[in-house]
Amino acid sequence: MSRLLAPLVSLVFALLLSVSPWFVAKRSFGGRGVLLAPFGVVNPSGARGPLPQLDWLGVAFWGWVALAAAAALVFLLFEGERRARWLYVLGAVGLLAFGLEALLFYRQVDAVNAAALAEGARRPPLKRHSLSLGLYLQLFYALYLLISARTSQPPGRGLLIRYRGVVVPAVSLILAMVAGGVLVWILRPIPGVREGLSTYGYLVGKLDLVTYTFQLLFGPVLSLPGLFQSAVIATPLIFTGLSVAFGFKAGLFNIGAPGQLVMGAVFAMFAGLYLPGPKLLVLPAAIAAAALGGAVWGAIPGWLKARFGAHEVINTIMMNYIAVSVMLLLLSKNEWSFFGRVVHFPFKAPGYEPKSLLIHESARIPMFLQMLGFKGAGPGELSLALPLALLGLLLVYYLGRRIELGRRVLAALGAGVLGYLVGGLLPGIPAHVSADLASVRLNGAFVLALFAVAFYNFYMWRTKFGYELRAVGLAPKAAEYAGVRITSKLVLTMAIAGALAGLAATHYVLGGGIDEYRFKQSIPYTVGFDGIAVALMGQNTPIGVTLAAFLFGVLLTGGLQLNIQLGISRELVTVLESLIVLFIAAGGFLPRYFVEPLLATEALKRLAPPAASEEVR
Amino acid sequence: MEIFSTAFLVALVAGALRQTTPLLFTALGGMFNERSGVVNIALEGIINFGALAAAVTVQLVEAPYLAHDPNARIWWIPWLGVLAAIVVGVLVAWIHAVVSIRYRADQIVSGTAVNMLSFGLPSILLLFLYGNTSDSKDVVHRILPMDAYLPFLRDFFSTPLGRILDQSPLVYLAFLLVPLTYYLLFKTPWGLRLRSVGENPEAADSLGINVFWMRYQGVLLSGVLAGLAGAYLSISELNHFTRLMAAGRGFIALAALIFGQWHPLGILGATLLFGFAEAFRILIEGTGILPSPLIQAFPFVLTMLVLAGFIGRARPPAAIGKPYEK
């Protein structure tokens, strides 16, 4: 299989490389760019100005073709250790060439800019320049060679199977990106294109369009405000992702996260408007109310399943529609008539806008920068309280493996409090907050989300309840036989899953995650559906869910630029998400031992020599 | 409007028939895939895609004719839209079939993915075609109620009974499908094979029935019927596509399927119940008896009640939801 597949990959690589833009010399707003490809400069929009003279591109291209041909030969001719050794060499050469080309490009661009500035230009002519598809392809191809080298022998191949929890989502992500790229290729014209583009120019231009689409989507990782904004969007995704993952672990499919989120928002709004008292009491109570709202909404389908055997999928979907109706009832009008009797809703903000009143100061979650000790944009001091608290908590928890679990958790919490107090007394580190960063609405709900991840990890893998829950998910009959009460387990699981989804509402209502500290009808409850993609992408593990939520947070943040610059709907991210779900469901179209644990064990046994066979994780 | 007046009853029954039609199409489609042992929660998404395909096809095809003559009416254009909806419905169902039959995916996850796709992809296409993310352009060529096709019966169609019967041909088609699917499923060898792979695929396989192929047929047929439901919504009931047009009908149809015990006659009864409830809801919504959001939640509450009350007594196909391993 890999004997024919790998030369094919090399061929496709070489062909793509010839029509890829390697570098973008400059890019103006709206995606118009001057593209440097191996067989010439492509300038679809006819932009003018000096360009770096990359006359070595042709030579470099033929060098890569030679490398790909050599790799194909290695795959065809050699086996085992010899193949691995040659592939390591070729991969290393590829990585080196990639680095060299990137360096050369940046230096030549700098030279052009310096020359122009010396001649009296007011701004450097090549301001937004970047690497492009050709270079990315080279990097990925070199990595592909190295991975092939590692996996061309049994122990390496076993590694792939053992890390199938990473391999399947990664392959699915790549496939979804390819499909999304094809969609963009078909639907959008080359930015700023004029008449009379040659076939070669057309291909390069289209590939650049696709590349730029993904550069915009992944763009937020390159700046601190972008990362913060991604975290803002990731916060509710972590909650809903955990909610769906919680259900999956027990063999339940919770499509009800949107409705649970809405009910969490309803409860949080009431708590935030009507609970009196100091912040120390009201804020935790409001957060608990959000969890309670979601828990109630989750427990109902759980109970219906336990009591009547009604499938949770249809019922949770119905509960979504009902929750939206409840929201419309509460927020869309100030007065309703029930059979002729007029009821006035005092919590609804007067006027036509569908939103509640602002919640009290005492129920608001502070902004993340405030929690770090900053007061706003400008110079400030980074307080050590929060970092030290986290450090103490994690250190004690992970170093105290010998201590009995209950005491270990208590000790960790104690260390956290101690760290908070000590950090608060210590002088802070001076730092400057830019206006961009200060305008990002990252709030304490993010920290809450991280705690939820810790709770998920702890509950699922460190407690008896979690053990029972996973047992029910893997083999309900066996679990019941072993003494687990399935019915109450179902209700409890759905309630906790609902509570996690309900907590996502704290980000919007109590944390002001979008703009204001109130419950608005525009609350983006569809993040509950995104939670499905997050849970699948994260393979229901705590770290995985967190990373997947961040990935989608980045994509959704970048999606804004997509609409502004290229006129592509932000829904492209939703399409990518649904494709990822589809591909992961199909196991990434990989062999079946990547999907099923039992087959994976067998495959590993076949690969490893009998004496050294290892336990499958 | 006075309740229990003739006008109210006529409006109620006529509305109920209209509301029943997409549910009936979809639930009958769902019957084929569930009888073959595959859960198809993607019906909701297939309705959306079918509606999109019908509206867009009709709009694109009629545009040149209308540019030539604004009063042009060409009889085959709406039917071309229906055909497009069927084709797209089959294509989308095929995605679900490949992933859940060939790759043995979790059928509910795969169906959910298709549904999510139907929430996002139409926006991208609409933005490309019409410059907005939520609606397609209005079409002129709709599938009209019967009186447009039978002008010599115009007098009859103005009587109360006539107003009830003055429906789109697709409504008639939906109700005609009930005896037709009954015959297909219970009186033909093909129907026996389809049911057998849903009840006991191993036994069916041992008798030489191709389990995979029968399941593909079941799922693709559901794509045909759910696509028809979509076409009915976008070019017969209305004259354009709006985002999320199915509005939960795919899921309600699934509930009707369970309530109707996977049988055409039962499904007819169940969808009529939902259809009447929906028509009643629409009629009393404007009267201000109850807040409209509460009334809007009514069909969903009804679905849950029906499921909870009935599920114990309904017996699904034995092998439903389980991927077949050869």
Side-chain angles (χ1 to χ4, degrees), chain A residues 299-592:
Chain A
I300 294 172
W303 179 75
L304 286 173
K305 178 163 180 135
R307 175 73 181 74
F308 300 104
H311 203 290
E312 79 278 3
V313 167
I314 294 181
N315 276 333
T316 47
I317 292 170
M318 295 297 126
M319 296 291 277
N320 287 341
Y321 288 108
I322 298 170
V324 171
S325 289
V326 171
M327 174 172 78
L328 290 177
L329 176 71
L330 294 180
L331 295 185
S332 60
K333 268 168 85 176
N334 289 59
E335 284 180 350
W336 291 105
S337 91
F338 292 82
F339 300 107
R341 195 171 338 143
V342 173
V343 176
H344 179 77
F345 283 170
F347 42 84
K348 157 89 172 70
Y352 287 106
E353 264 190 88
K355 60 186 186 185
S356 76
L357 294 171
L358 283 170
I359 62 163
H360 284 313
E361 194 69 52
S362 56
R364 294 182 189 177
I365 299 176
M367 285 288 151
F368 187 65
L369 284 176
Q370 269 176 8
M371 293 171 77
L372 288 179
F374 294 106
K375 301 225 160 47
E381 279 191 347
L382 174 68
S383 156
L384 288 173
L386 201 64
L388 275 188
L390 274 179
L391 188 74
L393 203 145
L394 291 177
L395 265 185
V396 172
Y397 184 77
Y398 281 104
L399 291 183
R401 280 168 199 253
R402 295 282 174 82
I403 315 168
E404 182 254 330
L405 191 66
R407 280 192 212 150
R408 182 170 150 203
V409 172
L410 280 183
L413 286 177
V417 174
L418 194 71
Y420 190 83
L421 293 178
V422 171
L425 291 176
L426 287 175
I429 304 166
H432 187 85
V433 178
S434 71
D436 275 348
L437 192 61
S439 69
V440 177
R441 301 192 67 85
L442 185 63
N443 57 62
F446 177 64
V447 180
L448 204 61
L450 295 184
F451 275 110
V453 173
F455 162 79
Y456 176 76
N457 184 29
F458 186 79
Y459 184 92
M460 203 59 85
W461 283 277
R462 293 281 178 277
T463 66
K464 183 184 130 219
F465 312 105
Y467 177 77
E468 287 176 357
L469 189 149
R470 285 182 292 136
V472 171
L474 287 173
K477 294 253 168 67
E480 190 168 23
Y481 184 69
V484 180
R485 284 180 54 191
I486 302 270
T487 50
S488 62
K489 205 80 209 165
L490 278 179
V491 181
L492 183 68
T493 304
M494 282 304 289
I496 295 180
L500 285 167
L503 280 172
T506 58
H507 171 70
Y508 298 114
V509 179
L510 306 177
I514 290 187
D515 46 4
E516 291 174 311
Y517 293 91
R518 57 171 119 219
F519 181 22
K520 297 170 109 174
Q521 197 187 307
S522 58
I523 186 169
Y525 54 83
T526 50
V527 294
F529 292 124
D530 301 337
I532 300 167
V534 170
L536 283 169
M537 186 83 189
Q539 301 277 304
N540 305 331
T541 62
I543 300 284
V545 166
T546 314
L547 290 179
F550 248 98
L551 172 74
F552 290 127
V554 168
L555 292 180
L556 284 164
T557 308
L560 282 180
Q561 286 293 318
L562 211 58
N563 207 346
I564 299 168
Q565 293 210 29
L566 292 178
I568 301 171
S569 165
R570 200 180 176 207
E571 297 288 334
L572 181 66
V573 181
T574 321
V575 171
L576 287 179
E577 247 175 39
S578 42
L579 289 177
I580 287 173
V581 171
L582 194 67
F583 294 155
I584 291 183
F589 303 107
L590 292 166
R592 292 195 62 206

Side-chain angles (χ1 to χ4, degrees), chain A residues 183 186-189 248 253 255 300-301 304 308-311 313-319 321-322 324-326 328-329 332 336-340 529-530 532-533 536 563 567-579 581-582 585-587 589-590 592 596, chain B residues 41 44 95-96 98-99 103-106 108-125 127-128 133 243 246-249 251-252 254-255 258 288-294 296-301 303-305 307-309 311-312 325:
Chain A
L183 192 69
I186 294 171
L187 288 185
R188 298 308 304 174
F248 272 142
F253 194 23
I255 317 191
I300 294 172
L304 286 173
F308 300 104
H311 203 290
V313 167
I314 294 181
N315 276 333
T316 47
I317 292 170
M318 295 297 126
M319 296 291 277
Y321 288 108
I322 298 170
V324 171
S325 289
V326 171
L328 290 177
L329 176 71
S332 60
W336 291 105
S337 91
F338 292 82
F339 300 107
F529 292 124
D530 301 337
I532 300 167
L536 283 169
N563 207 346
I568 301 171
S569 165
R570 200 180 176 207
E571 297 288 334
L572 181 66
V573 181
T574 321
V575 171
L576 287 179
E577 247 175 39
S578 42
L579 289 177
V581 171
L582 194 67
F589 303 107
L590 292 166
R592 292 195 62 206
E596 293 188 13
Chain B
I41 204 174
E44 173 88 359
I95 296 178
H96 176 64
V98 168
V99 172
Y103 287 94
R104 300 175 183 83
D106 185 322
I108 290 182
V109 176
S110 150
T112 304
V114 172
N115 287 338
M116 286 168 71
L117 201 61
S118 86
F119 302 158
L121 194 55
S123 296
I124 298 181
L125 296 175
L127 187 67
F128 171 66
T133 55
R243 195 166 170 265
R249 287 189 181 84
F251 303 122
I252 293 179
L254 281 178
I258 298 170
I289 296 173
L290 274 173
S292 60
L294 280 188
Q296 275 160 14
F298 177 61
F300 305 115
V301 177
T303 306
M304 291 179 69
L305 289 178
L307 275 185
I311 202 96
E325 307 265 350

